[in-house]
Amino acid sequence: MTPVVRFDRFSKSYRGDAVVEDLSFAVESGSVVGLLGPNGAGKSTAMRGLVGLLHPTSGTASVFGGPFHALANPARRVGVHMDGLGFETGITARRHLEIYRLAAGMPRGRVDEVLEQVDLAPHASKRVKQFSTGMWQRLGLATAVIGDPELLVLDEPANGLDPSGIRWLRGFVRSFADRGGAVLISSHQLAELEQTVDEVVVMRRSVLYAGRLEELTSAGAASLEEGYFDLIDATEGGRRA
Ligand SMILES: Nc1ncnc2c1ncn2[C@@H]1O[C@H](COP(=O)(O)OP(=O)(O)OP(=O)(O)O)[C@@H](O)[C@H]1O
């Protein structure tokens, strides 16, 4: 079966400097894959390449067996939440979601559904620029799911969430996958991620580990954090990732 996401020797260089090199891994339906690595490891670059925001220097990143740009109605297949997507901030959250609902061709009631799903219903009439960081994250997730996609690509969605928001995000991601969706999520919050993911990809320009979480932790590491630092410390640059 074709995986939902496949990176195949994906590489990206800027002016001859490789920031991602030979990245290969897959994400299957019903599975949450955590993309981990220190600052500057290339996580956002890989995710941006996956959703067509940049072109790899070599290799490929595909969704549902082909390039992102070949999807007929991308919002119905892939929900994306990452910095720099350029939301209009002078409009209300409801208006913002209405625009995305129309673009995705979803029925009228979908905006209320997603507002409920991300616990933003009481703030629907607020302007986006008045949102706190956590509310902004929830709106980004609502935008990602408005088209009822099969894949979520989430770049550090836990940033700025309070503890109850983080717990809520865990439930949100898990229930998405339990309904058959696939999730690729990046985060620096290792203890939290350990409770959320099925598989992990640890990268620092290239892949240091890609596989089941329990295989990493059963190979001698007591936790994801310990396994992570064992991998990172063994690479150039050593501790303090
Ligand atoms: N447009 C660009 N031009 C040149 N270098 C870039 C560009 N975009 C990213 N980089 C470099 O690529 C490397 C990887 O950046 P990237 O944002 O993918 O890392 P990351 O793993 O997401 O980091 P973080 O955890 O800090 O978000 C960094 O060294 C960054 O400076």
Side-chain angles (χ1 to χ4, degrees):
M1 207 172 75
T2 310
V4 178
V5 168
R6 183 190 288 283
F7 285 90
D8 187 10
R9 305 201 67 184
F10 177 99
S11 303
K12 179 69 182 175
S13 300
Y14 290 106
R15 288 172 295 277
D17 286 337
V19 298
V20 177
E21 213 167 15
D22 274 345
L23 184 69
S24 296
F25 69 92
V27 183
E28 309 280 350
S29 297
S31 164
V32 181
V33 175
L35 187 57
L36 318 183
N39 291 136
K43 305 178 296 296
S44 298
T45 302
M47 287 177 143
R48 294 174 73 79
L50 181 65
V51 300
L53 293 173
L54 57 81
H55 292 291
T57 309
S58 62
T60 56
S62 57
V63 286
F64 305 104
F68 184 86
H69 67 72
L71 295 174
N73 188 347
R76 299 289 286 268
R77 308 295 304 277
V78 187
V80 182
H81 176 43
M82 57 178 61
D83 276 351
L85 292 181
F87 290 176
E88 167 65 62
T89 59
I91 56 177
T92 65
R94 177 179 295 284
R95 179 78 193 122
H96 164 88
L97 290 170
E98 272 299 336
I99 293 167
Y100 280 80
R101 174 190 75 78
L102 282 167
M106 294 299 284
R108 197 174 284 273
R110 182 65 182 156
V111 167
D112 284 311
E113 276 174 21
V114 298
L115 281 166
E116 287 293 332
Q117 211 182 336
V118 304
D119 286 344
L120 270 187
H123 305 289
S125 304
K126 236 181 212 171
R127 289 186 196 282
V128 175
K129 65 179 158 205
Q130 297 167 335
F131 271 21
S132 68
T133 311
M135 288 159 72
W136 180 269
Q137 290 286 34
R138 287 170 191 254
L139 183 64
L141 290 164
T143 311
V145 295
I146 195 109
D148 194 18
E150 298 153 69
L151 165 66
L152 288 179
V153 179
L154 310 176
D155 194 0
E156 300 191 31
N159 274 3
L161 289 181
D162 62 17
S164 71
I166 287 173
R167 189 167 64 176
W168 166 84
L169 176 66
R170 186 197 316 149
F172 178 89
V173 166
R174 276 300 351 156
S175 71
F176 184 85
D178 292 345
R179 292 195 307 272
V183 184
L184 178 63
I185 180 171
S186 74
S187 178
H188 293 293
Q189 306 196 10
L190 301 181
E192 174 54 36
L193 216 58
E194 187 163 14
Q195 297 183 60
T196 314
V197 302
D198 302 295
E199 297 189 22
V200 289
V201 175
V202 181
M203 67 179 292
R204 184 178 219 167
R205 195 170 67 196
S206 53
V207 172
L208 305 179
Y209 175 85
R212 307 280 313 165
L213 173 65
E214 60 271 17
E215 278 166 31
L216 177 67
T217 48
S218 66
S223 62
L224 173 59
E225 182 177 293
E226 201 179 302
Y228 173 88
F229 279 114
D230 286 349
L231 290 162
I232 295 294
D233 289 351
T235 64
E236 188 192 344
R239 194 168 274 282
R240 193 46 254 141

